[in-house]
Amino acid sequence: MKEKSKVANSNFNHLSVLTNELIEFLEKLPKSEKKISCMIDATLGGGGHSELVLKTFPEMNVIGIDQDPQAIEAASKKLKNFGQRVKIHHASFSEFNPLEKVEVLFADLGVSSPQIDQASRGFSFQIDGPLDMRMNPSKGIKASELITKLNERDLANIIYKYGEEKLSRRIARRIKNDLSTKGHYTGTLDLAYAISGCYPAKARHGRIHPATRTFQALRIAVNKELDALESLLENGPKWLNPNGLFIIISFHSLEDRMVKNSFSTNEHLVKVTKKPIRAKLTEVSENPRSKSAKLRVARKNNLNY
Ligand SMILES: C[S@@+](CC[C@H](N)C(=O)[O-])C[C@H]1O[C@@H](n2cnc3c(N)ncnc32)[C@H](O)[C@@H]1O
């Protein structure tokens, strides 16, 4: 078996998940007649998964995509030494159109730790920041604009659908009331405090923070994450050579359901994993974020398309 390692990124503080599992699937790739194969990393982040792939498989190149300019900067630095083996694009994978077909299409969905941890990005309900939440800060509307623009009913529907939050109606009512009385929230903590207030007192200090689901919902809506995933699932098979692997890591049930459904029903794909691959206990103890990660793999059938 080729070299495997844990991947921590020093200046972009993100621990990549399920790295050994990714490498194990790539080792099973059928040998192609081409000398050089290629992986699209649709969610490059700090370049953790890509770096490991480039080190482990000297015959594999990487096309990396991310919509976050900070991730692009961090990954460009990290992967500099691989020279021409790496091409990096600042784009959403929903707008990307590769010039060549590849052997592997990989996506590690959602947000990175630096996005959450940097107050100024506005994703965190634990450190105060502006209510922004855009992965690409020069595109789309901020969370503060979204909650202002939506009416109470649509806001409740988003919180319910994308956050699976049972108190969605109560939370939406509170948000719209606050906005009409005080104009705006001062930042993420102000909103998180208002959401906590919608929970009964004894449920405010449970294992997960009361704002977790609503923040997830707003983040998904601001970044149109499920629309982007839908387009990746639809276009992905076209980007692959016959027998190429489509590998996706997801972090919540909404995404996983879409991946599972597409890998089971897409006529160009053959499911490789019957059940999702989960992180082992050792990984979860070192990186709690990996607890919710689910990796699924499909193979493109042997027809060109
Ligand atoms: C979990 S992180 C990836 C971490 C990376 N695999 C690593 O090991 O460093 C997810 C990344 O996907 C990016 N992302 C999310 N949705 C995207 C989209 N539609 N297009 C491009 N990048 C996206 C985020 O900006 C974030 O950097």
Side-chain angles (χ1 to χ4, degrees), residues 7 9 12 14-17 41-50 65-68 71 91-94 106 108-113 115 135 223 225 228-229 251 289:
V7 183
N9 201 330
F12 188 90
H14 178 87
L15 266 183
S16 306
V17 302
D41 182 345
T43 53
L44 188 61
H49 285 104
S50 280
I65 309 166
D66 206 292
Q67 61 183 343
D68 183 342
S92 167
F93 54 67
S94 60
F106 171 67
D108 172 22
L109 300 170
V111 275
S112 66
S113 305
Q115 284 169 332
M135 292 188 202
N223 294 290
E225 290 178 40
L229 176 58
F251 288 85
R289 208 177 68 86

Short mmCIF file of all heavy atoms in Angstrom, two decimals, residues 7 9 12 14-17 41-50 65-68 71 91-94 106 108-113 115 135 223 225 228-229 251 289, ligand 1:
data_model
loop_
_atom_site.label_atom_id
_atom_site.label_comp_id
_atom_site.label_asym_id
_atom_site.label_seq_id
_atom_site.Cartn_x
_atom_site.Cartn_y
_atom_site.Cartn_z
N VAL A 7 -3.54 14.62 7.49
CA VAL A 7 -3.25 15.87 6.81
C VAL A 7 -3.75 17.04 7.64
O VAL A 7 -4.93 17.26 7.77
CB VAL A 7 -3.93 15.91 5.43
CG1 VAL A 7 -3.56 17.16 4.70
CG2 VAL A 7 -3.52 14.70 4.62
N ASN A 9 -3.12 21.25 7.99
CA ASN A 9 -2.59 22.31 7.17
C ASN A 9 -2.16 23.44 8.08
O ASN A 9 -3.00 24.03 8.75
CB ASN A 9 -3.72 22.75 6.23
CG ASN A 9 -3.17 23.45 5.05
OD1 ASN A 9 -2.13 24.08 5.17
ND2 ASN A 9 -3.85 23.34 3.93
N PHE A 12 -3.43 27.16 7.14
CA PHE A 12 -4.87 27.07 6.87
C PHE A 12 -5.33 25.94 7.77
O PHE A 12 -5.19 24.77 7.45
CB PHE A 12 -5.07 26.72 5.39
CG PHE A 12 -6.48 26.78 4.89
CD1 PHE A 12 -7.00 27.94 4.36
CD2 PHE A 12 -7.29 25.65 4.91
CE1 PHE A 12 -8.30 27.98 3.86
CE2 PHE A 12 -8.58 25.69 4.41
CZ PHE A 12 -9.08 26.86 3.88
N HIS A 14 -7.02 23.44 8.89
CA HIS A 14 -8.14 22.54 8.57
C HIS A 14 -7.62 21.11 8.52
O HIS A 14 -6.64 20.83 7.84
CB HIS A 14 -8.73 22.92 7.21
CG HIS A 14 -9.85 22.03 6.77
ND1 HIS A 14 -11.16 22.26 7.14
CD2 HIS A 14 -9.87 20.89 6.02
CE1 HIS A 14 -11.93 21.31 6.63
NE2 HIS A 14 -11.16 20.46 5.95
N LEU A 15 -8.26 20.22 9.26
CA LEU A 15 -7.85 18.81 9.23
C LEU A 15 -8.71 18.08 8.20
O LEU A 15 -9.93 18.01 8.36
CB LEU A 15 -8.10 18.17 10.60
CG LEU A 15 -6.97 18.13 11.62
CD1 LEU A 15 -7.43 17.39 12.86
CD2 LEU A 15 -5.72 17.48 11.05
N SER A 16 -8.09 17.57 7.16
CA SER A 16 -8.86 16.86 6.13
C SER A 16 -9.41 15.56 6.69
O SER A 16 -8.74 14.89 7.47
CB SER A 16 -7.94 16.55 4.94
OG SER A 16 -7.32 17.72 4.49
N VAL A 17 -10.61 15.18 6.26
CA VAL A 17 -11.24 13.97 6.82
C VAL A 17 -11.14 12.80 5.83
O VAL A 17 -11.00 13.00 4.63
CB VAL A 17 -12.73 14.21 7.18
CG1 VAL A 17 -12.89 15.35 8.16
CG2 VAL A 17 -13.57 14.46 5.94
N ASP A 41 -10.39 18.15 -7.96
CA ASP A 41 -10.77 18.35 -6.56
C ASP A 41 -11.71 19.55 -6.58
O ASP A 41 -11.26 20.70 -6.70
CB ASP A 41 -9.52 18.61 -5.70
CG ASP A 41 -9.87 18.78 -4.23
OD1 ASP A 41 -11.06 18.98 -3.91
OD2 ASP A 41 -8.94 18.74 -3.39
N ALA A 42 -13.01 19.28 -6.50
CA ALA A 42 -14.00 20.34 -6.71
C ALA A 42 -14.12 21.28 -5.52
O ALA A 42 -14.73 22.35 -5.62
CB ALA A 42 -15.36 19.72 -7.01
N THR A 43 -13.56 20.88 -4.38
CA THR A 43 -13.61 21.69 -3.15
C THR A 43 -12.21 21.70 -2.54
O THR A 43 -11.97 21.09 -1.49
CB THR A 43 -14.61 21.07 -2.15
OG1 THR A 43 -14.25 19.69 -1.97
CG2 THR A 43 -16.04 21.15 -2.63
N LEU A 44 -11.33 22.41 -3.19
CA LEU A 44 -9.90 22.35 -2.86
C LEU A 44 -9.59 22.72 -1.41
O LEU A 44 -8.73 22.12 -0.78
CB LEU A 44 -9.17 23.30 -3.82
CG LEU A 44 -7.66 23.30 -3.83
CD1 LEU A 44 -7.12 21.93 -4.22
CD2 LEU A 44 -7.14 24.36 -4.79
N GLY A 45 -10.29 23.71 -0.86
CA GLY A 45 -10.03 24.17 0.51
C GLY A 45 -8.56 24.53 0.67
O GLY A 45 -7.98 25.21 -0.18
N GLY A 46 -7.92 24.04 1.74
CA GLY A 46 -6.49 24.30 1.94
C GLY A 46 -5.62 23.36 1.12
O GLY A 46 -4.39 23.41 1.24
N GLY A 47 -6.21 22.49 0.34
CA GLY A 47 -5.42 21.58 -0.52
C GLY A 47 -4.96 20.32 0.20
O GLY A 47 -4.08 19.61 -0.29
N GLY A 48 -5.55 20.03 1.36
CA GLY A 48 -5.11 18.88 2.15
C GLY A 48 -5.26 17.54 1.41
O GLY A 48 -4.29 16.78 1.28
N HIS A 49 -6.46 17.26 0.91
CA HIS A 49 -6.66 15.99 0.19
C HIS A 49 -5.80 15.97 -1.08
O HIS A 49 -5.17 14.96 -1.39
CB HIS A 49 -8.13 15.82 -0.20
CG HIS A 49 -9.02 15.45 0.94
ND1 HIS A 49 -9.87 16.34 1.54
CD2 HIS A 49 -9.19 14.27 1.61
CE1 HIS A 49 -10.53 15.74 2.52
NE2 HIS A 49 -10.14 14.49 2.59
N SER A 50 -5.77 17.08 -1.79
CA SER A 50 -5.01 17.11 -3.05
C SER A 50 -3.53 16.87 -2.82
O SER A 50 -2.89 16.13 -3.57
CB SER A 50 -5.20 18.46 -3.75
OG SER A 50 -6.43 18.47 -4.42
N ILE A 65 -10.55 23.32 -7.57
CA ILE A 65 -11.54 24.40 -7.70
C ILE A 65 -11.98 24.81 -6.29
O ILE A 65 -12.21 23.94 -5.44
CB ILE A 65 -12.81 23.90 -8.43
CG1 ILE A 65 -12.46 23.19 -9.73
CG2 ILE A 65 -13.79 25.02 -8.67
CD1 ILE A 65 -13.64 22.39 -10.29
N ASP A 66 -12.10 26.10 -6.05
CA ASP A 66 -12.77 26.56 -4.83
C ASP A 66 -13.36 27.93 -5.09
O ASP A 66 -12.80 28.72 -5.85
CB ASP A 66 -11.81 26.61 -3.63
CG ASP A 66 -12.56 26.46 -2.31
OD1 ASP A 66 -13.33 27.39 -1.94
OD2 ASP A 66 -12.39 25.43 -1.64
N GLN A 67 -14.49 28.20 -4.43
CA GLN A 67 -15.12 29.51 -4.63
C GLN A 67 -14.62 30.54 -3.61
O GLN A 67 -14.97 31.71 -3.72
CB GLN A 67 -16.63 29.39 -4.60
CG GLN A 67 -17.23 28.88 -3.31
CD GLN A 67 -18.74 28.74 -3.42
OE1 GLN A 67 -19.35 29.30 -4.32
NE2 GLN A 67 -19.35 27.99 -2.51
N ASP A 68 -13.82 30.09 -2.65
CA ASP A 68 -13.35 30.99 -1.60
C ASP A 68 -11.94 31.48 -1.93
O ASP A 68 -11.01 30.67 -2.00
CB ASP A 68 -13.35 30.23 -0.27
CG ASP A 68 -12.93 31.10 0.90
OD1 ASP A 68 -12.32 32.17 0.66
OD2 ASP A 68 -13.22 30.73 2.04
N ALA A 71 -9.19 30.27 0.38
CA ALA A 71 -8.81 28.86 0.19
C ALA A 71 -7.87 28.75 -1.01
O ALA A 71 -6.85 28.05 -0.96
CB ALA A 71 -10.06 28.01 -0.03
N ALA A 91 -13.54 29.37 -8.66
CA ALA A 91 -14.89 29.27 -9.27
C ALA A 91 -15.76 28.42 -8.38
O ALA A 91 -15.28 27.71 -7.50
CB ALA A 91 -14.78 28.62 -10.65
N SER A 92 -17.05 28.48 -8.65
CA SER A 92 -17.95 27.50 -8.03
C SER A 92 -17.94 26.26 -8.92
O SER A 92 -17.92 26.38 -10.15
CB SER A 92 -19.37 28.04 -7.94
OG SER A 92 -20.25 26.97 -7.63
N PHE A 93 -17.97 25.10 -8.31
CA PHE A 93 -18.00 23.89 -9.15
C PHE A 93 -19.29 23.82 -9.97
O PHE A 93 -19.38 23.09 -10.94
CB PHE A 93 -17.74 22.62 -8.35
CG PHE A 93 -18.63 22.37 -7.14
CD1 PHE A 93 -19.99 22.13 -7.29
CD2 PHE A 93 -18.09 22.36 -5.86
CE1 PHE A 93 -20.80 21.88 -6.18
CE2 PHE A 93 -18.90 22.11 -4.74
CZ PHE A 93 -20.26 21.88 -4.91
N SER A 94 -20.28 24.63 -9.60
CA SER A 94 -21.52 24.60 -10.38
C SER A 94 -21.37 25.38 -11.69
O SER A 94 -22.20 25.27 -12.58
CB SER A 94 -22.67 25.19 -9.56
OG SER A 94 -22.38 26.51 -9.22
N PHE A 106 -13.59 14.46 -7.20
CA PHE A 106 -13.69 14.38 -5.75
C PHE A 106 -14.30 15.67 -5.21
O PHE A 106 -13.95 16.76 -5.66
CB PHE A 106 -12.28 14.16 -5.16
CG PHE A 106 -12.22 14.29 -3.66
CD1 PHE A 106 -12.87 13.35 -2.84
CD2 PHE A 106 -11.52 15.33 -3.05
CE1 PHE A 106 -12.82 13.46 -1.46
CE2 PHE A 106 -11.48 15.44 -1.66
CZ PHE A 106 -12.13 14.51 -0.88
N ASP A 108 -15.39 17.38 -1.24
CA ASP A 108 -15.45 17.30 0.23
C ASP A 108 -16.30 18.52 0.63
O ASP A 108 -15.79 19.62 0.78
CB ASP A 108 -14.00 17.39 0.73
CG ASP A 108 -13.86 17.53 2.23
OD1 ASP A 108 -14.78 17.15 2.95
OD2 ASP A 108 -12.78 18.00 2.67
N LEU A 109 -17.61 18.29 0.73
CA LEU A 109 -18.57 19.40 0.72
C LEU A 109 -18.54 20.27 1.98
O LEU A 109 -17.97 19.89 3.00
CB LEU A 109 -19.98 18.84 0.52
CG LEU A 109 -20.19 18.06 -0.78
CD1 LEU A 109 -21.54 17.35 -0.75
CD2 LEU A 109 -20.10 18.98 -2.01
N GLY A 110 -19.23 21.39 1.89
CA GLY A 110 -19.47 22.23 3.07
C GLY A 110 -18.39 23.27 3.30
O GLY A 110 -17.74 23.72 2.37
N VAL A 111 -18.26 23.63 4.58
CA VAL A 111 -17.32 24.70 4.93
C VAL A 111 -16.05 24.12 5.54
O VAL A 111 -16.05 23.02 6.07
CB VAL A 111 -17.92 25.69 5.96
CG1 VAL A 111 -18.74 26.75 5.29
CG2 VAL A 111 -18.72 24.98 7.02
N SER A 112 -14.97 24.91 5.47
CA SER A 112 -13.71 24.51 6.09
C SER A 112 -13.64 25.10 7.49
O SER A 112 -14.35 26.05 7.81
CB SER A 112 -12.55 25.02 5.25
OG SER A 112 -12.53 26.43 5.28
N SER A 113 -12.73 24.56 8.31
CA SER A 113 -12.57 25.10 9.67
C SER A 113 -12.18 26.58 9.65
O SER A 113 -12.73 27.36 10.43
CB SER A 113 -11.55 24.28 10.45
OG SER A 113 -11.94 22.94 10.44
N GLN A 115 -12.96 28.87 7.61
CA GLN A 115 -14.14 29.70 7.31
C GLN A 115 -14.96 29.90 8.60
O GLN A 115 -15.39 31.01 8.91
CB GLN A 115 -15.00 29.04 6.21
CG GLN A 115 -14.39 29.20 4.82
CD GLN A 115 -15.06 28.34 3.76
OE1 GLN A 115 -15.61 27.28 4.05
NE2 GLN A 115 -15.00 28.76 2.52
N MET A 135 -19.22 32.15 1.08
CA MET A 135 -17.92 31.51 0.85
C MET A 135 -17.12 32.34 -0.14
O MET A 135 -15.91 32.43 -0.05
CB MET A 135 -18.10 30.09 0.31
CG MET A 135 -18.70 29.15 1.32
SD MET A 135 -18.67 27.47 0.68
CE MET A 135 -19.96 26.74 1.67
N ASN A 223 -25.25 30.42 0.32
CA ASN A 223 -24.30 29.90 -0.68
C ASN A 223 -24.97 29.01 -1.73
O ASN A 223 -24.27 28.42 -2.55
CB ASN A 223 -23.18 29.15 0.03
CG ASN A 223 -22.34 30.09 0.87
OD1 ASN A 223 -21.60 30.91 0.33
ND2 ASN A 223 -22.50 30.03 2.19
N GLU A 225 -26.06 26.09 -1.55
CA GLU A 225 -25.23 24.87 -1.55
C GLU A 225 -25.92 23.68 -2.19
O GLU A 225 -25.27 22.87 -2.86
CB GLU A 225 -24.81 24.53 -0.11
CG GLU A 225 -23.80 25.53 0.44
CD GLU A 225 -23.40 25.25 1.88
OE1 GLU A 225 -23.21 24.09 2.27
OE2 GLU A 225 -23.26 26.23 2.64
N ALA A 228 -25.95 23.97 -5.96
CA ALA A 228 -24.61 23.69 -6.52
C ALA A 228 -24.37 22.18 -6.52
O ALA A 228 -23.86 21.63 -7.51
CB ALA A 228 -23.54 24.40 -5.69
N LEU A 229 -24.76 21.50 -5.44
CA LEU A 229 -24.55 20.05 -5.38
C LEU A 229 -25.37 19.35 -6.47
O LEU A 229 -24.88 18.43 -7.13
CB LEU A 229 -24.91 19.52 -3.98
CG LEU A 229 -24.83 18.00 -3.80
CD1 LEU A 229 -23.42 17.48 -4.11
CD2 LEU A 229 -25.22 17.61 -2.36
N PHE A 251 -21.58 16.15 4.86
CA PHE A 251 -21.57 16.34 6.31
C PHE A 251 -22.95 16.45 6.94
O PHE A 251 -23.05 16.59 8.14
CB PHE A 251 -20.73 17.57 6.68
CG PHE A 251 -19.26 17.33 6.50
CD1 PHE A 251 -18.68 17.52 5.26
CD2 PHE A 251 -18.49 16.87 7.54
CE1 PHE A 251 -17.33 17.26 5.07
CE2 PHE A 251 -17.14 16.62 7.37
CZ PHE A 251 -16.57 16.81 6.13
N ARG A 289 -14.95 16.87 13.91
CA ARG A 289 -15.70 17.23 12.70
C ARG A 289 -15.94 16.01 11.79
O ARG A 289 -16.90 15.94 11.04
CB ARG A 289 -14.89 18.29 11.92
CG ARG A 289 -15.71 19.23 11.07
CD ARG A 289 -14.79 20.27 10.42
NE ARG A 289 -13.92 19.67 9.43
CZ ARG A 289 -14.24 19.46 8.16
NH1 ARG A 289 -15.40 19.86 7.70
NH2 ARG A 289 -13.39 18.88 7.34
C1 LIG B 1 -14.50 20.97 3.70
S1 LIG B 1 -13.66 22.19 2.80
C2 LIG B 1 -12.53 21.27 1.79
C3 LIG B 1 -11.24 20.96 2.49
C4 LIG B 1 -10.22 20.26 1.60
N1 LIG B 1 -10.70 19.00 1.11
C5 LIG B 1 -8.92 20.07 2.36
O1 LIG B 1 -8.54 18.94 2.60
O2 LIG B 1 -8.28 21.09 2.67
C6 LIG B 1 -14.86 22.65 1.63
C7 LIG B 1 -14.38 23.71 0.64
O3 LIG B 1 -15.32 23.69 -0.43
C8 LIG B 1 -15.51 24.99 -0.89
N2 LIG B 1 -16.79 25.00 -1.58
C9 LIG B 1 -18.03 24.78 -1.08
N3 LIG B 1 -18.96 24.87 -2.04
C10 LIG B 1 -18.30 25.12 -3.20
C11 LIG B 1 -18.70 25.31 -4.55
N4 LIG B 1 -19.99 25.29 -4.93
N5 LIG B 1 -17.74 25.53 -5.48
C12 LIG B 1 -16.42 25.58 -5.13
N6 LIG B 1 -15.99 25.43 -3.85
C13 LIG B 1 -16.90 25.20 -2.92
C14 LIG B 1 -15.46 25.84 0.36
O4 LIG B 1 -15.13 27.17 0.05
C15 LIG B 1 -14.38 25.12 1.18
O5 LIG B 1 -13.12 25.71 0.96
#
